[in-house]
Amino acid sequence: DLDRWRELQLPRMQYNQPATLTQSRTDVLTLTPWFAPIVWEGTFNRDILNEQFKSMNVSIGLTVFAIKKYIVFLQHFIDTAEMFFMVGHRVNYYVFTDRPNEVPKFTLASGRRLVIIEVIGYKRWQDVTMRRMEMIHNASMETFINEVDYIVSVDMDMKFTDLVGVEILSERVGTLHPGYYWSGRQSFTYERRSQSEAYIPGDEGDFYYAGGFFGGSVREVYQLTGQCHNAMMKDKNRGIEALWHDESYLNKYFLYHKPTKILSPEYLWDNGMGSPEAVLKKKRFLAVGKNSAAIRNK
Ligand code: UDP
Ligand code: MN
């Protein structure tokens, strides 16, 4: 919170001076028109950020859902998170699952623990993914608010392949979807039916954000997930479901509650997407291939 930022004092450090007349990256947008940084490799100094967040004794909650067959992804997900996610900081893994007995035993680095939150497994995969909003919302005030400062919510059919650290933390955080970061807003797969709460007209929209990676302070994540869940329930009662489920509602939310920080596709990459990669200096968090038909709805 603000008190901790106010009291923060750094030690003496040596590093390359930021050069006022030189852009750290000239090939990508690094700041939105509302002054939110877009996080690309080369735009930040991890050592400075680590000192700042370390001296605040920050703690981070990583939420993942391992419902039904997706439990098979958990082992590799946590193993790679131990190598790359928030190394040196305090981390709680919050594993939402309907199969608590199938959660493997992990040996975690110090300052890190795994918390199992038992939830029901909805029958339709669309409901599994959408209900994450409600479940995170409820856990925010029951658990997260007493235990961590920030929440990071991600998909679990993923693995960490490079560092993902405190450079991603901010009040409200969205991530550029790897399939659309070079596209114009007309090509974004926003919900285009005006009857839906997720509707975005053709002449609006900043970015296409991924449903598989968002975060923020616990209070903000509580708000975000609550609003998205309410919008989904309104639509459900009218018999409409947005095109890309929770992702569509998240995009609507971020249009009118603009993120205070945006992560580049380095933080959510899919090798199968056929996206242009020239601007990509790191792949930090990668989709592991899956046979969707076989693994969903089982
Ligand atoms: N999920 C789950 N069990 C399911 C379907 C989905 O646990 O049967 C969770 C899981 O965390 C997954 C997320 O919901 O990463 C989003 O679903 P998915 O990854 O299939 O969506 P995609 O990335 O293919 O759009
Ligand atoms: Mn996924």
Side-chain angles (χ1 to χ4, degrees), residues 184-224:
R185 53 163 64 126
Q186 291 77 14
S187 316
F188 293 162
T189 54
Y190 291 149
E191 175 54 58
R192 300 300 190 184
R193 292 168 296 175
S194 60
Q195 313 90 282
S196 170
E197 290 289 317
Y199 171 59
I200 298 179
D203 59 354
E204 289 184 74
D206 303 300
F207 304 105
Y208 191 75
Y209 300 99
F213 200 139
F214 65 87
S217 69
V218 175
R219 278 181 189 288
E220 168 54 32
V221 168
Y222 175 76
Q223 285 277 112
L224 175 160

Side-chain angles (χ1 to χ4, degrees), residues 76-282:
H76 196 51
F77 177 91
I78 299 287
D79 287 348
T80 60
E82 283 292 290
M83 289 192 275
F84 295 116
F85 183 75
M86 301 289 170
V87 177
H89 298 277
R90 294 196 291 141
V91 172
N92 284 0
Y93 299 106
Y94 296 112
V95 178
F96 293 75
T97 184
D98 58 337
R99 300 181 177 187
N101 299 329
E102 290 176 43
V103 174
K105 289 273 168 283
F106 292 98
T107 312
L108 304 177
S110 90
R112 306 169 77 100
R113 63 193 186 95
L114 188 145
V115 180
I116 296 173
I117 301 178
E118 188 170 355
V119 293
I120 62 162
Y122 283 91
K123 200 166 173 310
R124 296 172 63 236
W125 64 266
Q126 296 89 338
D127 288 322
V128 173
T129 157
M130 287 194 292
R131 289 286 176 164
R132 292 185 291 178
M133 292 294 186
E134 180 183 31
M135 292 172 183
I136 293 171
H137 181 72
N138 292 339
S140 293
M141 286 304 141
E142 285 162 14
T143 307
F144 304 158
I145 194 78
N146 303 312
E147 300 184 355
V148 293
D149 301 305
Y150 293 97
I151 287 294
V152 177
S153 166
V154 295
D155 266 18
M156 212 196 44
D157 52 338
M158 305 290 298
K159 61 181 177 189
F160 291 89
T161 51
D162 210 325
L163 294 176
V164 174
V166 294
E167 74 278 5
I168 73 169
L169 300 178
S170 189
E171 179 62 18
R172 174 160 57 241
V173 182
T175 303
L176 301 182
H177 192 292
Y180 299 93
Y181 62 91
W182 65 91
S183 301
R185 53 163 64 126
Q186 291 77 14
S187 316
F188 293 162
T189 54
Y190 291 149
E191 175 54 58
R192 300 300 190 184
R193 292 168 296 175
S194 60
Q195 313 90 282
S196 170
E197 290 289 317
Y199 171 59
I200 298 179
D203 59 354
E204 289 184 74
D206 303 300
F207 304 105
Y208 191 75
Y209 300 99
F213 200 139
F214 65 87
S217 69
V218 175
R219 278 181 189 288
E220 168 54 32
V221 168
Y222 175 76
Q223 285 277 112
L224 175 160
T225 51
Q227 291 215 19
C228 288
H229 177 62
N230 286 341
M232 290 187 289
M233 288 301 103
K234 275 193 192 167
D235 274 6
K236 186 179 163 67
N237 291 334
R238 292 196 211 107
I240 187 165
E241 185 173 272
L243 181 62
W244 288 107
H245 320 107
D246 43 306
E247 186 170 82
S248 301
Y249 299 92
L250 182 69
N251 271 279
K252 180 66 177 278
Y253 182 84
F254 279 153
L255 177 58
Y256 300 128
H257 307 79
K258 301 217 189 287
T260 57
K261 189 176 270 186
I262 295 177
L263 309 182
S264 71
E266 294 169 13
Y267 292 86
L268 183 56
W269 192 254
D270 186 338
N271 279 327
M273 209 132 246
S275 311
E277 297 190 23
V279 296
L280 219 71
K281 297 192 195 274
K282 298 255 180 186

Side-chain angles (χ1 to χ4, degrees), residues 29 37 39 59-60 72 121 156 163 187 239-240 243 258 276 288 290:
L29 185 69
V39 185
S59 81
I60 303 107
V72 300
M156 212 196 44
L163 294 176
S187 316
I240 187 165
L243 181 62
K258 301 217 189 287
V288 303
K290 67 175 185 288

